[in-house]
Amino acid sequence: LADLLLEEGNNYLKSTSQNFQPNISYFNYGGIRTFLPEGEITVGKIYELMPFENEMVFLKLNGQQINEFLDAVAGKGGDSLGGVRFKISDGNATDINIGGAPLRENGSYWLVTNDYIAGGGDDLEVLTQRSEFVKSGKKIRNVIISHLEKLNEKGEILSAQTDERITNE
C-alpha cells in the first residue's frame, strides 16, 4: 500500500503540475482495517480495507522532523512506509536512507500520507510542524481502487514481497 501511495502521489503531482515529488509515503497500520485476499480484489474489499474518508495529503518536513517521525514509527516496531529504508535499534530509526541516499538532517522531504496522520493522529505530532501542506482532494480509498483497476486493465497481478526496508538490529 505504501508503494502504491508513493506512486499515485507522484502521478497526482505530475498531473497537477506541482513542482515537487513525494520522497516518502506512510500508512498507519491502525488505518488499514483488513488484509487483501489472494485472488480477486473487489471494491467492497477496498472499502473494508479503508473504511475511512481519509484524503491524500502532502507534507514538507525537514530532515530532523523526518528522523523524529521515523523514530516514532520505529518505536511501534514499524509501519507501512515507502521510499525509505532503516534499521530499528533500541526503538529508534538508524541508518536511514531515503530514495537510496542517507537522510540529510538539514534537507527537505515530502511525505504523502492521509489527513488524519497529517493532523498528528496516532501520536505523530511532529507532522503538524511541517513547513508546507498540500491537499489533493482525493480519497485514498478511491486512489487505491483506481490504481488496482489500472493494473487489472493491463492484466498485471499483485504479489506481496518482503524487501527488508525496515529491519531490526
Side-chain angles (χ1 to χ4, degrees):
L1 285 173
D3 292 341
L4 180 155
L5 186 61
L6 191 61
E7 180 181 339
E8 290 300 328
N10 193 36
N11 291 341
Y12 168 79
L13 293 171
K14 284 180 184 175
S15 74
T16 58
S17 302
Q18 298 285 337
N19 61 351
F20 66 92
Q21 294 179 312
N23 307 97
I24 302 171
S25 60
Y26 176 69
F27 270 106
N28 57 316
Y29 283 140
I32 303 169
R33 293 302 174 136
T34 191
F35 63 94
L36 292 177
E38 189 172 329
E40 185 179 0
I41 300 171
T42 64
V43 169
K45 193 63 172 179
I46 300 301
Y47 270 80
E48 290 176 34
L49 177 78
M50 298 252 112
F52 308 108
E53 297 297 316
N54 293 27
E55 180 182 334
M56 181 172 66
V57 297
F58 303 87
L59 316 173
K60 186 176 183 182
L61 302 160
N62 65 40
Q64 186 175 15
Q65 291 164 327
I66 291 290
N67 199 356
E68 186 177 334
F69 160 65
L70 293 176
D71 279 344
V73 171
K76 297 176 187 182
D79 253 334
S80 182
L81 288 159
V84 62
R85 301 176 75 82
F86 63 90
K87 292 178 185 172
I88 298 175
S89 179
D90 295 322
N92 292 307
T94 63
D95 298 328
I96 301 168
N97 278 279
I98 299 173
L103 173 73
R104 298 179 332 270
E105 289 284 326
N106 61 348
S108 292
Y109 299 93
W110 283 93
L111 171 70
V112 57
T113 190
N114 67 62
D115 54 338
Y116 168 74
I117 291 299
D122 277 5
D123 298 319
L124 291 171
E125 287 294 319
V126 66
L127 300 182
T128 66
Q129 300 167 15
R130 66 223 171 210
S131 61
E132 292 185 51
F133 178 74
V134 176
K135 291 181 167 188
S136 71
K138 293 188 165 285
K139 301 290 184 210
I140 290 181
R141 177 178 49 236
N142 295 340
V143 169
I144 294 169
I145 291 168
S146 175
H147 182 88
L148 294 179
E149 285 174 342
K150 285 186 259 180
L151 291 180
N152 188 49
E153 287 172 9
K154 294 178 186 176
E156 293 184 30
I157 296 174
L158 290 178
S159 62
Q161 302 167 13
T162 58
D163 64 3
E164 298 184 352
R165 66 183 73 182
I166 300 174
T167 58
N168 284 290
E169 240 180 18

